Amino acid sequence: MQWELILKKLEVSIDTNLQSVFALAKEFQDPYFILIATVISSRTKDQIMYPAALRVFERAPNAVALLTSTVEEIVRLIYPVGFYRTKALNLIK
């Protein structure tokens, strides 16, 4: 009985609409997209990561397209993600 009450309170307090790597994985179901979102998400809030990942997916829907991007393009796409310059370099690598 007590556990049910605790779980109900937790359910109410947890934002079930978080836009995270899990949401992107469910939406895209492609290892490429999951990898990109994971790199971008490190030490970045979901509210910042999600739109940045979508911008990258729009510009580079596959690895070949990503390789034709410059680091500067990726930087512009993922900013204001934390460590955006390092992450842009890592995405190109």
Side-chain angles (χ1 to χ4, degrees), residues 60-76:
N62 56 52
V64 173
L66 183 63
L67 288 175
T68 64
S69 304
T70 65
V71 173
E72 292 78 22
E73 284 178 299
I74 302 302
V75 164
R76 283 192 300 274

Side-chain angles (χ1 to χ4, degrees), residues 37-51:
T38 302
V39 169
I40 294 171
S41 71
S42 177
R43 306 204 30 105
T44 300
K45 292 182 179 182
D46 289 342
Q47 300 88 331
I48 303 296
M49 179 279 301
Y50 193 88

Side-chain angles (χ1 to χ4, degrees), residues 58-91:
E58 187 176 311
R59 165 60 181 94
N62 56 52
V64 173
L66 183 63
L67 288 175
T68 64
S69 304
T70 65
V71 173
E72 292 78 22
E73 284 178 299
I74 302 302
V75 164
R76 283 192 300 274
L77 292 172
I78 67 174
Y79 182 85
V81 165
F83 305 102
Y84 58 91
R85 290 185 202 286
T86 302
K87 290 178 183 179
L89 285 169
N90 287 335
L91 288 173

